Amino acid sequence: MNFPAMNNGRQTPAMETAADSSSSAFSFISKGWREVRDSADADLRLMKDRANSFKNIAASFDREIENLIYSATPTFTVPPIRQSSEIEFMKKLHPKMSEFRRVYSAPEISRKVMEKCGPRANLGIELSRIRSTIAAEVFGTVEEDMKGIIEFNKVRSEKLNEEGQFGEWEPIRVLKTRFREFEKKNSTVEIFAGFKKNEFVEKVKSSLEVPPLDVPELLAVLVRQSGPFLDQFGIRRNLCDKIVENLCSKWKNQLVLRSLVAGEPPAVDPDKISDELDLRIASVLQSTGHCSERGGSWTDFMKPDVTDGKRHVAIVTTASLPWMTGTAVNPLFRAAYLAKSAKQKVTLLVPWLCRSDQELVYPNNLTFGSPEEQENYIRNWLEESVGFKADFRISFYPGKFSRERRSIIPAGDTSQFIPSKNADIAILEEPEHLNWYHHGKRWTDKFNHVVGIVHTNYLEYIKREKNGALQAFFVKHINNLVTRAHCHRVLRLSAATQDMPKSVICNVHGVNPKFLKIGEKVAAERELGQQAFSKGAYFLGKMVWAKGYKELIDLLAKHKNDLNGFKLDVYGNGEDAHEVQSTAKRLDLNLNFQKGRDHADDSLQGYKVFINPSVSDVLCTATAEALAMGKFVVCADHPSNEFFSSFPNCLTYKTPEDFVAKVKEALANEPQPLTPEQRYNLSWEAATKRFIEYSELDRILNNEYSATTIRKSNGKAIARSVSMPTLSEMVDGGIAFAHYCLTGNEFLRLCTGAIPGTRDYGRQHCKDLHLLPPQVESPIYGW
């Protein structure tokens, strides 16, 4: 190439034109090369993406074919005649699709494709045989032996495309197009339609361990639950059973097969179908993780934590030591002896009083700064009394002392202080007392079995007050309603208590073991010829008029001359002490008043006769203790003393004249020693046995339920579903709801005698028991 000469350092026009042409040529070549390189890179990336896409499509298609084959059951709405041929078609197609996926997902394919990344690579797929196979199977012209759906071109030169374009992806697009057309023609193959239509539902079902209820099962449940309602329209139960049987017909063959295997006649019992339906529903509920409290349509009896094989028993009472009253002592012994058997875990729930209330209730100005201090006091007293260390838990709930009622009223929802994991069996000592103002969860909703024990004859006390008859009328019906709504079973210690729904009469109380030991000591002294009793008669009890002091003073005043020289020692403290002593002094009765003391005190062991004229007691603990110590007992012929009347040392009277005769008889004779059987009947071992029997606790502890049945499914315990609630259960639920609404109104609570501020516990209780404020524990919005 000749370059023009330079003229004095300046370029000529020819030189400028040549330079511009050279620059344009180089720019064009560089741009062309960049475009070629970018295009090659883009083609390479496209080839890689399509190779990966092809593998994914092949794998996905194979999985769909497998799911289609295994999900082709009679639940699809496919005509019976065509079903078998279509399943056979899919089974034959399955291995060919597997081969298709295996060939094109092999590592050799990827390697060869990547080696031939240039524009001359070509991979061919022959689809003619695929199309012919599908068409032949759908229209009944399938050939027996179909081989080689997918194959490689054997000659490498045949894979080259002289136009420099990638043609290996066209067959993939054709394959996808053909399958879309095949799906559109699903009217000829109904199983594909059912598969596509229910694909989401079937995937959900397959992800569940237990399949959900289908429509026939749901209808069967609805019909069975509506049995009592349909009966009002003349639709008998046997017709409902037939409807349920027809809806659950798929279980007939299973039941017949089980009968044949068991060697029984191949008959289908409607009850067995109902049981299968119950088990099916329970399995579905359990598989979903559903866990409801007791009540409503379903009952979960396996809710409590029984992993260690023990049931949980919660004893809730209305008083606690050091207040030496029956509702404090007897529940404590019951907890100790129930825990002694080691068959169940026991929790004793007692009220906690603030220091101001403790000063009013507990004797000798004894107070506690914390629940732990009071628990230590209770355990020490109990261990000293029974002679063994009881293994049970003591918990506290907030309570307030009512001076007018002379009793402790719970503050807030008492049931919340038993954790849900331990809410299995509840024993309510004085259930009417606990639930007068109970504004909280229904006991029978939280616990599987609730037993109430009636300690006190409240009607007898109320009748002694002003307008007592009217008050007793309302209290009687309130007691009936609250015990009916909150208890499954009610035990009355004697017939002296109010007759209540679901109640039976049984003495489930025993005496402190130390009294039986005193009785054994007395019997041993008498066998040795020693004088066991050196004193005459005495009376012991809380000094209030209702505890028998009125009857005692009336009897002694009326027959003062008949009992000339008779002297009676009286032991007790109480609110009416001054008035009682003044009345006795005014009537010039020979009564010697002493301060109250423990019945087992040494100063009381020398007395031979215990006199108890009270008719307000339900079951006098002092009477049982006196009999256990081998003394005479003179008491009224009253339902409260019916249990004691079988003992030879118990002398009952019906009239005032009879009272005088019994007192003279007791003073003139010596009591008989107790037999081993009589001592056992007074013990807490016998009382606990009677309690377990009459409260039906033995069946509960042995998993024998009347309303439900625990069954096994795959080694797991499942609770049987509860049928439609009876009219009585619906009434009980309505009563409980109405009671909850009424006790939630502070004005109505105050009108009926509640202590102000007892709907929820107060700030001092939060501090003492380390509780969250009630506004935080139970927000007003109900979350």
Side-chain angles (χ1 to χ4, degrees):
M1 178 178 293
N2 295 323
F3 294 95
M6 303 204 42
N7 187 11
N8 297 328
R10 298 180 59 184
Q11 294 180 344
T12 63
M15 294 174 61
E16 292 178 357
T17 301
D20 292 341
S21 300
S22 176
S23 176
S24 299
F26 279 110
S27 176
F28 175 78
I29 294 173
S30 176
K31 181 178 179 181
W33 173 250
R34 284 197 303 271
E35 290 180 354
V36 170
R37 186 182 59 186
D38 294 341
S39 177
D41 292 341
D43 291 342
L44 180 59
R45 286 194 299 270
L46 179 61
M47 179 184 63
K48 292 179 179 179
D49 294 341
R50 289 183 175 179
N52 293 332
S53 175
F54 178 76
K55 292 180 183 180
N56 296 334
I57 292 172
S60 176
F61 179 76
D62 188 59
R63 285 195 299 269
E64 291 183 0
I65 295 299
E66 292 177 355
N67 293 337
L68 179 61
I69 292 174
Y70 293 128
S71 62
T73 63
T75 56
F76 290 102
T77 57
V78 182
I81 299 176
R82 303 187 54 182
Q83 180 180 353
S84 60
S85 62
E86 292 166 352
I87 293 178
E88 288 299 325
F89 155 67
M90 298 311 302
K91 288 182 178 179
K92 291 181 179 181
L93 184 61
H94 175 256
K96 298 177 176 56
M97 294 298 103
S98 300
E99 181 182 359
F100 179 86
R101 179 181 61 83
R102 185 176 63 255
V103 171
Y104 277 87
S105 62
E108 291 79 1
I109 295 297
S110 301
R111 181 174 54 82
K112 292 181 179 180
V113 170
M114 298 307 299
E115 289 176 355
K116 301 300 178 179
C117 57
R120 298 175 62 83
N122 181 20
L123 182 64
I125 303 175
E126 185 175 329
L127 297 177
S128 59
R129 301 189 66 179
I130 295 178
R131 294 196 298 270
S132 62
T133 300
I134 295 175
E137 289 292 343
V138 171
F139 297 102
T141 60
V142 179
E143 295 180 356
E144 290 295 327
D145 188 12
M146 177 182 293
K147 299 180 180 179
I149 293 180
I150 304 171
E151 62 181 6
F152 289 109
N153 291 327
K154 296 181 180 180
V155 183
R156 184 171 180 178
S157 60
E158 296 177 358
K159 298 180 182 178
L160 301 179
N161 189 337
E162 295 182 356
E163 296 179 357
Q165 298 179 354
F166 290 89
E168 68 275 16
W169 308 118
E170 180 62 21
I172 302 302
R173 289 192 292 271
V174 173
L175 179 63
K176 294 168 66 175
T177 303
R178 295 302 183 186
F179 272 102
R180 282 195 295 267
E181 294 176 357
F182 181 76
E183 291 173 359
K184 292 180 181 179
K185 297 179 180 179
N186 55 9
S187 59
T188 60
V189 186
E190 294 180 6
I191 190 169
F192 273 89
F195 173 74
K196 296 301 291 183
K197 186 182 298 183
N198 301 298
E199 181 178 2
F200 176 76
V201 177
E202 292 302 323
K203 286 183 179 179
V204 173
K205 286 184 177 181
S206 62
S207 65
L208 298 176
E209 181 181 357
V210 179
L213 298 175
D214 54 25
V215 175
E217 290 171 340
L218 291 173
L219 291 176
V221 174
L222 178 62
V223 172
R224 193 183 63 173
Q225 297 285 78
S226 305
F229 176 75
L230 296 176
D231 187 54
Q232 304 297 324
F233 297 93
I235 302 177
R236 299 184 178 276
R237 181 176 179 179
N238 56 357
L239 181 58
C240 295
D241 292 340
K242 290 182 180 179
I243 296 175
V244 173
E245 181 179 351
N246 291 330
L247 290 172
C248 301
S249 59
K250 63 180 181 180
W251 292 333
K252 285 185 179 181
N253 295 335
Q254 299 177 5
L255 294 175
V256 171
L257 181 59
R258 293 178 189 174
S259 301
L260 293 175
V261 172
E264 300 176 356
V268 179
D269 188 358
D271 293 336
K272 291 184 178 180
I273 293 181
S274 180
D275 292 342
E276 290 293 332
L277 182 60
D278 290 332
L279 184 58
R280 177 84 172 90
I281 296 170
S283 301
V284 172
L285 288 178
Q286 191 181 56
S287 66
T288 58
H290 175 72
C291 181
S292 64
E293 299 286 351
R294 190 170 194 269
S297 299
W298 310 106
T299 302
D300 183 8
F301 275 86
M302 300 308 294
K303 169 191 58 186
D305 182 11
V306 292
T307 54
D308 55 357
K310 293 184 179 181
R311 306 297 294 271
H312 294 267
V313 178
I315 302 175
V316 188
T317 188
T318 57
S320 175
L321 296 182
W323 188 11
M324 299 300 294
T325 183
T327 53
V329 176
N330 291 313
L332 182 60
F333 282 123
R334 195 182 331 279
Y337 281 89
L338 279 175
K340 186 179 180 181
S341 65
K343 294 182 179 179
Q344 54 275 327
K345 294 182 178 180
V346 179
T347 299
L348 178 64
L349 189 62
V350 298
W352 167 260
L353 300 178
C354 299
R355 188 176 293 273
S356 58
D357 284 339
Q358 294 181 28
E359 295 173 353
L360 298 174
V361 177
Y362 298 152
N364 304 324
N365 296 322
L366 185 62
T367 59
F368 305 97
S370 67
E372 291 76 16
E373 292 183 17
Q374 187 171 0
E375 180 178 351
N376 291 333
Y377 178 91
I378 294 172
R379 291 191 183 277
N380 293 334
W381 183 92
L382 178 63
E383 187 173 352
E384 181 182 351
S385 299
V386 299
F388 62 88
K389 189 173 182 179
D391 184 17
F392 65 92
R393 184 180 176 219
I394 297 179
S395 298
F396 293 86
Y397 69 87
K400 291 187 178 182
F401 180 70
S402 172
R403 295 189 180 185
E404 294 76 12
R405 298 181 183 273
R406 296 171 182 171
S407 59
I408 299 174
I409 303 299
D413 180 10
T414 310
S415 66
Q416 77 180 64
F417 296 94
I418 299 295
S420 296
K421 65 178 182 179
N422 298 336
D424 188 8
I425 300 169
I427 301 172
L428 305 184
E429 311 278 354
E430 294 197 315
E432 70 277 45
H433 183 159
L434 285 169
N435 291 294
W436 278 336
Y437 304 106
H438 175 70
H439 182 68
K441 195 159 192 174
R442 185 182 176 188
W443 292 94
T444 52
D445 286 346
K446 183 167 184 176
F447 290 83
N448 294 330
H449 190 67
V450 182
V451 180
I453 302 177
V454 181
H455 288 249
T456 309
N457 188 359
Y458 287 105
L459 301 183
E460 186 65 29
Y461 290 110
I462 293 174
K463 289 177 182 178
R464 300 170 184 262
E465 300 178 359
K466 184 179 180 180
N467 299 322
L470 181 61
Q471 293 185 53
F473 172 80
F474 287 108
V475 171
K476 176 182 178 180
H477 291 284
I478 291 173
N479 290 345
N480 282 337
L481 293 177
V482 295
T483 54
R484 175 176 180 174
H486 291 280
C487 295
H488 295 113
R489 189 78 164 174
V490 178
L491 301 182
R492 299 161 55 199
L493 298 179
S494 71
T497 58
Q498 173 186 342
D499 187 14
M500 295 182 179
K502 310 174 185 177
S503 66
V504 294
I505 298 175
C506 180
N507 174 23
V508 293
H509 285 176
V511 298
N512 193 321
K514 63 184 180 181
F515 295 104
L516 293 173
K517 293 180 180 179
I518 295 174
E520 294 175 357
K521 177 183 176 183
V522 170
E525 291 176 352
R526 293 181 62 182
E527 288 181 359
L528 296 175
Q530 300 177 4
Q531 184 180 4
F533 303 111
S534 58
K535 301 179 182 180
Y538 73 106
F539 174 64
L540 179 143
K542 187 178 181 181
M543 201 168 291
V544 293
W545 286 112
K547 282 293 185 180
Y549 284 89
K550 181 178 183 302
E551 291 81 2
L552 178 64
I553 290 178
D554 289 344
L555 287 171
L556 295 179
K558 186 176 182 179
H559 297 280
K560 183 166 53 173
N561 296 331
D562 297 334
L563 294 173
N564 188 21
F566 174 70
K567 181 181 178 181
L568 182 68
D569 294 334
V570 179
Y571 296 87
N573 302 319
E575 296 85 352
D576 299 333
H578 178 72
E579 188 176 351
V580 170
Q581 295 176 18
S582 300
T583 304
K585 185 177 182 180
R586 177 171 51 83
L587 295 175
D588 193 22
L589 300 179
N590 194 6
L591 296 177
N592 180 27
F593 290 97
Q594 302 286 340
K595 289 185 178 181
R597 60 194 67 181
D598 188 2
H599 204 175
D601 191 81
D602 293 339
S603 62
L604 300 179
Q605 295 182 17
Y607 287 97
K608 182 172 66 172
V609 182
F610 175 73
I611 294 179
N612 181 17
S614 175
V615 293
S616 62
D617 289 326
V618 172
L619 189 78
C620 183
T621 304
T623 300
E625 294 169 349
L627 288 174
M629 290 188 289
K631 305 177 186 292
F632 273 124
V633 173
V634 178
C635 57
D637 186 7
H638 188 262
S640 61
N641 299 318
E642 183 178 355
F643 177 80
F644 306 124
S645 61
S646 60
F647 291 83
N649 293 337
C650 182
L651 307 178
T652 60
Y653 63 88
K654 296 182 178 179
T655 62
E657 293 76 15
D658 197 14
F659 168 77
V660 176
K662 297 298 181 182
V663 171
K664 291 182 177 181
E665 178 185 350
L667 293 174
N669 297 286
E670 291 294 325
Q672 299 181 19
L674 293 177
T675 65
E677 181 180 359
Q678 291 169 348
R679 282 197 297 269
Y680 176 75
N681 289 336
L682 290 171
S683 69
W684 266 103
E685 287 85 358
T688 303
K689 184 178 179 180
R690 292 191 297 266
F691 169 75
I692 292 176
E693 177 183 356
Y694 279 83
S695 66
E696 300 181 344
L697 203 61
D698 51 349
R699 297 193 301 107
I700 300 298
L701 294 176
N702 294 327
N703 292 335
E704 298 177 7
Y705 300 97
S706 56
T708 60
T709 303
I710 300 298
R711 304 185 59 193
K712 295 287 183 177
S713 175
N714 298 327
K716 298 180 180 180
I718 297 176
R720 181 179 179 182
S721 62
V722 178
S723 59
M724 177 70 71
T726 63
L727 178 61
S728 177
E729 292 172 341
M730 295 175 65
V731 171
D732 293 348
I735 293 173
F737 178 74
H739 179 259
Y740 177 83
C741 296
L742 293 175
T743 54
N745 187 286
E746 187 67 20
F747 175 76
L748 294 178
R749 293 173 65 93
L750 296 177
C751 290
T752 54
I755 302 176
T758 55
R759 188 183 69 176
D760 296 311
Y761 46 82
R763 182 176 301 176
Q764 187 61 42
H765 280 122
C766 292
K767 182 179 179 181
D768 293 344
L769 298 176
H770 307 291
L771 302 174
L772 292 174
Q775 296 81 3
V776 177
E777 189 73 29
S778 301
I780 190 172
Y781 45 81
W783 284 17

